[in-house]
Amino acid sequence: MASESPNIEQSEDQPALETIVSLAKRRGFVYPSAEIYGGFAASYDYGPLGVEIKRQIRDLWWQSMVREREDIVGIEAAIITNPRVWEASGHLDVFSDPLIDCLKCNARIRADHLEGNQCPECGAEDQFTEAREFNLMLRTQVGPVEDDSATAYLRPETAQGMFINFENVQTTTRKRLPFGIAQIGKSFRNEITTKQFIFRTREFEQMEMEFFCRPEESLEWHSYWKKERLRWYYRLGIRSENLRMRDHDAEELSHYSSGTSDIEVRYRWGWGELEGIAHRGDYDLSQHSSHSGKKLTYFDPDTNEHIVPHVIEPAAGVDRILLTLLIDAYNEETTANGETRTVLKLAPEVAPAEIAVLPLSRNERLVPTAKKIHDLIRPHFRSQYDDAQSIGRRYRRQDEIGTPLAVTVDFDTLDDDAVTIRDRDTMEQIRVPINKINESIANRLAELTPHVPEMDEINV
Ligand code: GAP
């Protein structure tokens, strides 16, 4: 059994973004896209560990938003659809940012991001073109003829898929109000400023839910979803002091919104949006109704009325949540013998692996035993097996990728049929019999899972 010294110091500051970018690449969370061709601006590829976390994020969202609820169902709509959808939704007209060009260096800048009258690239003062609106939708051509009739768009939000399928879903599921339609999938925006790694990119993944309710109940549901969504981030283990709810000012509101609250995260560069919870009123159903000529209403069998439901929409980004988890969980600790250890203190549910199985060495008797133990564990937990390099180095590697527990198989195991389970955060080790291994792991993981406050304990 390898002994380690407990931590004596722990940095409380957030890591620099470069530290996270470098860890992400070194360990296989996120790589720059097309790196062998010099990369491609603001495009990233997810590696073996990144995809595990993304999958967990999506599954936890789907679990809490769809599977655990009676009132929400899921869909998957097309990314490229009839362009009239974007006419009706307002995205063709108003989904744009104001752009100016620097007359000296030709830099293209978002007018609303300009601080003072100086070009952020070359420092020239007051030398800009007039601002013009730049539509953020990514355009493409459908079919072999490149004319206007073939123009289509990659969806800038998944939400419209739910509105255009409102009637279909309602008819096939016979859901009564209030009910929601949820979707996870890629969205695309031709963002002008892409910054902060995967925080804002042109291709990203959204998890959105449109909750249809009676207009007179909509404010109550808005408040319900603000609390419920905040609880979900506590479940992911994001530290509560790094989360806050902020209501939009009137001038910030999107074209469809009559009220939005953002769940924000404290980053080193300031507070940033993690998820928007918008009150979309009847905007989308009314727009699609008038553009398509189809009546998109709900018939209430109790009152015999046709009503246009109002919509509350929690909208989150998978990539941004992943970045937030890496930053929030990152710790550098100085151990008693003066070594620095990097630990990702991820909650077990969002760690790429829950447990690592490590034979003390590549000894020919230890390896087959360790592999057998791994076979016992792997059907039940997300696990890794590693026998390369020294045990100390392997503990460090698992700490750095956030694996909460490690099973060590040593020479005593061959005699006593027991293994050591090491805890990532405390580095404490306990000895457990092999025939109780899955039970012991499950118990310890449950203890490490963050406590989620009840709805009435949340104040927003
Ligand atoms: N349907 C409403 C909607 O799309 P949004 O606030 O524009 O609202 C929702 O997007 C979430 O999607 C954001 O809170 C963010 O997490 C994610 N998101 C939006 N644009 C993004 C981008 N360019 N890169 C990464 N994530 C993005």
Side-chain angles (χ1 to χ4, degrees), residues 253-361:
L253 291 175
S254 309
H255 61 275
Y256 50 73
S257 173
S258 49
T260 297
S261 307
D262 283 346
I263 296 178
E264 292 191 329
V265 178
R266 190 173 59 84
Y267 298 107
R268 254 168 100 122
W269 59 88
W271 288 90
E273 173 190 339
L274 188 57
E275 163 159 350
I277 302 155
H279 189 317
R280 294 180 80 126
D282 64 2
Y283 175 84
D284 303 272
L285 288 181
S286 299
Q287 285 290 106
H288 285 301
S289 201
S290 66
H291 279 71
S292 66
K294 300 274 176 344
K295 215 163 143 197
L296 298 178
T297 52
Y298 171 84
F299 177 69
D300 186 333
D302 296 333
T303 60
N304 280 344
E305 281 174 305
H306 288 273
I307 58 167
V308 184
H310 278 202
V311 171
I312 306 301
E313 174 201 67
V318 179
D319 315 75
R320 211 172 270 189
I321 295 172
L322 168 55
L323 174 65
T324 305
L325 288 173
L326 294 182
I327 293 175
D328 191 75
Y330 186 93
N331 280 268
E332 275 179 22
E333 297 175 352
T334 310
T335 58
N337 52 13
E339 280 175 22
T340 303
R341 111 176 158 123
T342 301
V343 200
L344 277 191
K345 294 193 173 169
L346 291 168
E349 286 188 315
V350 291
E354 291 162 294
I355 185 133
V357 177
L358 315 172
L360 192 62
S361 69

Side-chain angles (χ1 to χ4, degrees), residues 95 156-159 189 191 198-206 208 210 254 256 262 273-276 280 313 315-321:
F95 191 56
E157 60 171 12
T158 62
R189 296 180 190 175
E191 301 278 4
I198 52 174
F199 182 84
R200 180 171 292 116
T201 49
R202 300 198 173 92
E203 171 181 344
F204 54 97
E205 194 166 3
Q206 290 188 307
E208 301 196 289
E210 310 304 319
S254 309
Y256 50 73
D262 283 346
E273 173 190 339
L274 188 57
E275 163 159 350
R280 294 180 80 126
E313 174 201 67
V318 179
D319 315 75
R320 211 172 270 189
I321 295 172

Side-chain angles (χ1 to χ4, degrees), residues 212-259:
F212 301 91
C213 62
R214 297 178 167 281
E216 64 275 18
E217 292 174 0
S218 60
L219 289 177
E220 221 173 292
W221 280 113
H222 195 205
S223 143
Y224 168 87
W225 281 110
K226 281 160 69 172
K227 291 183 182 180
E228 185 59 16
R229 294 303 305 147
L230 203 53
R231 286 177 78 223
W232 189 77
Y233 289 101
Y234 292 142
R235 177 173 173 183
L236 299 197
I238 299 175
R239 283 177 285 173
S240 58
E241 65 269 27
N242 285 341
L243 287 170
R244 74 172 187 194
M245 187 73 73
R246 188 183 68 82
D247 294 336
H248 279 209
D249 299 332
E251 64 271 16
E252 261 182 279
L253 291 175
S254 309
H255 61 275
Y256 50 73
S257 173
S258 49

